[in-house]
Amino acid sequence: MNDQRPGYFASWASLAALAPLYIFSTDLTIGLVLGMTFLVVHSAAASIALLLPVSFGRDRIFVLSVVGAAIAASLCASTIRLLDPFLFEMTSHRLFLTAFTIPVMRAGLIPDTISDRERAWENVVRGLGSAASVVVVGAFRELIASGAVSMTMGQTQTTFLPIAGQPAGGLILLGLAAAVFKALLNAARGTTR
Amino acid sequence: MSGIGLAFYFVFGGNVLIQWGLLPAGDDINKASPFAIIFFMSASAFAALLNGLVYRHVLTPFGLESMAPVLFALLLFGATGLFQGIRALAGMARMDLQGDRSFQATMVLYAVGMMATGRYSSTWYLLGGGAAAAFGYVAATCFLESIMARLELEPIPAPFRGAPIRFISAGLIAMAFSGVDASFFTVFYG
């Protein structure tokens, strides 16, 4: 199968790893909440893995990083609850899942070599990029679902293309976006694979 | 919810996980032994039970719902430590807990736990709902892998090969499942 080759598998895995957040991100407000939470949680896991002494051991550092990420998710949820209890009720389960996504768990792994430690800042950039993509997906899905984008949740009616706001529509849009991206990449490289 | 409703859910329980984008990362599920599938279903059932009971009887009365992921993480690592200890006593090798497969399994376990907590309140339904959702996830994963194997024989345009067609197939499966869910399960069993 094409997507079982190492390069394809890696790119597929990284896209699939964020798929739950893309599917949950149905509008701009939820996208912002999920994106911000993901950024905080991802940064917390990466920081703990980087700052803890190596003498703690690989397994212990991983456990502490994941627990730290879960605490960060809890704090984000509490903050959202203080700001807008209704938004918390609507998004709490989606927020909780961010702590257990594959990118966050990967960020919780201790860097293997000195070179990896020096490139740890890339984790922050990766988290920032992923968080931004979640927000963009939310805004885009709201736009094509309702024909408008609003900062207030529930203000827009999903009458334009309602399927875009549904989970199934999210997966299909993700597939189409991946195909367009792949076509552009192939065109840039001059390949037809 | 009635027992019949739960049994029905056994068939379609995985739809929520598919709808949530918790997709399989490969065709390993088709090679998994029945023992591994039963173990996964049991782990899901206990994860749903623990998550549900703790959420309802420990966190909610004190208004500490936000602490749910922390508690789940502690329970997860507690259970993992116990399991590793049992394996060590039995002279078996340690499990790899830091691979993508383990990460994905963790996420699915938590998703199953949250899903069952939201739908059921009794102990037995939490156990059954967790196992049902896990079975549904495995079933949907097998369906998707079979579809992908069949699509290998079709002349798919180059940009759609690999991940894109997999996402689109998963979306169509999710749409079909949610249609059946909305038409039968929700209407008849609430």
Side-chain angles (χ1 to χ4, degrees), chain A:
Chain A
M1 203 170 358
N2 281 340
D3 61 346
Q4 295 303 305
R5 283 175 296 185
Y8 276 87
F9 185 78
S11 56
W12 145 242
S14 57
L15 186 64
L18 279 172
L21 298 187
Y22 292 140
I23 303 306
F24 281 146
S25 183
T26 51
D27 59 37
L28 179 60
T29 315
I30 294 177
L32 276 171
V33 167
L34 280 177
M36 293 290 282
T37 305
F38 178 81
L39 183 60
V40 172
V41 168
H42 188 271
S43 304
S47 310
I48 293 170
L50 187 67
L51 297 177
L52 281 179
V54 182
S55 58
F56 271 37
R58 195 176 165 82
D59 284 350
R60 221 168 281 164
I61 288 175
F62 174 67
V63 169
L64 289 172
S65 296
V66 174
V67 172
I71 291 171
S74 289
L75 289 175
C76 284
S78 299
T79 308
I80 290 162
R81 194 177 195 179
L82 286 173
L83 295 173
D84 187 346
F86 179 65
L87 188 60
F88 171 78
E89 290 298 328
M90 291 292 290
T91 59
S92 61
H93 282 174
R94 308 176 196 204
L95 289 180
F96 294 162
L97 210 58
T98 53
F100 301 98
T101 51
I102 294 177
V104 170
M105 291 196 165
R106 272 193 202 139
L109 295 174
I110 186 171
D112 284 327
T113 61
I114 298 293
S115 161
D116 287 340
R117 289 189 90 83
E118 284 172 353
R119 288 192 292 114
W121 61 272
E122 288 176 10
N123 254 339
V124 179
V125 177
R126 215 170 284 139
L128 204 59
S130 302
S133 69
V134 172
V135 178
V136 169
V137 166
F140 182 69
R141 285 181 68 186
E142 186 179 3
L143 181 67
I144 57 173
S146 63
V149 176
S150 169
M151 279 297 289
T152 313
M153 195 171 62
Q155 289 299 303
T156 54
Q157 300 292 320
T158 52
T159 52
F160 187 61
L161 191 62
I163 188 69
Q166 302 294 320
L171 283 166
I172 293 170
L173 284 176
L174 205 55
L176 292 175
V180 169
F181 181 73
K182 203 170 159 186
L184 291 175
L185 204 65
N186 287 346
R189 286 177 181 164
T191 60
T192 54
R193 265 195 326 193

Side-chain angles (χ1 to χ4, degrees), chain B residues 42-184:
Chain B
S42 307
S44 297
F46 280 107
L49 179 67
L50 276 175
N51 196 55
L53 293 181
V54 166
Y55 194 82
R56 281 179 200 283
H57 301 297
V58 179
L59 297 179
T60 306
F62 297 103
L64 295 172
E65 293 93 332
S66 311
M67 296 290 288
V70 181
L71 227 64
F72 183 82
L74 294 175
L75 288 171
L76 179 77
F77 286 123
T80 306
L82 191 69
F83 188 65
Q84 294 281 37
I86 293 169
R87 283 178 72 93
L89 282 176
M92 297 165 79
R94 285 175 70 83
M95 278 196 320
D96 174 29
L97 299 177
Q98 299 181 10
D100 280 359
R101 302 276 185 245
S102 303
F103 295 167
Q104 193 178 7
T106 302
M107 194 178 179
V108 173
L109 282 181
Y110 190 45
V112 165
M114 284 197 305
M115 194 176 72
T117 303
R119 282 184 181 251
Y120 310 112
S121 51
S122 87
T123 304
W124 290 109
Y125 281 156
L126 279 169
L127 271 172
F135 181 78
Y137 175 75
V138 171
T141 303
C142 289
F143 294 159
L144 187 56
E145 289 308 325
S146 300
I147 290 170
M148 292 306 296
R150 177 67 182 80
L151 284 175
E152 287 284 296
L153 307 173
E154 299 293 334
I156 300 167
F160 282 91
R161 282 180 209 147
I165 196 69
R166 189 180 282 264
F167 276 117
I168 292 170
S169 302
L172 294 174
I173 291 178
M175 202 186 290
F177 271 133
S178 55
V180 174
D181 191 5
S183 306
F184 294 98

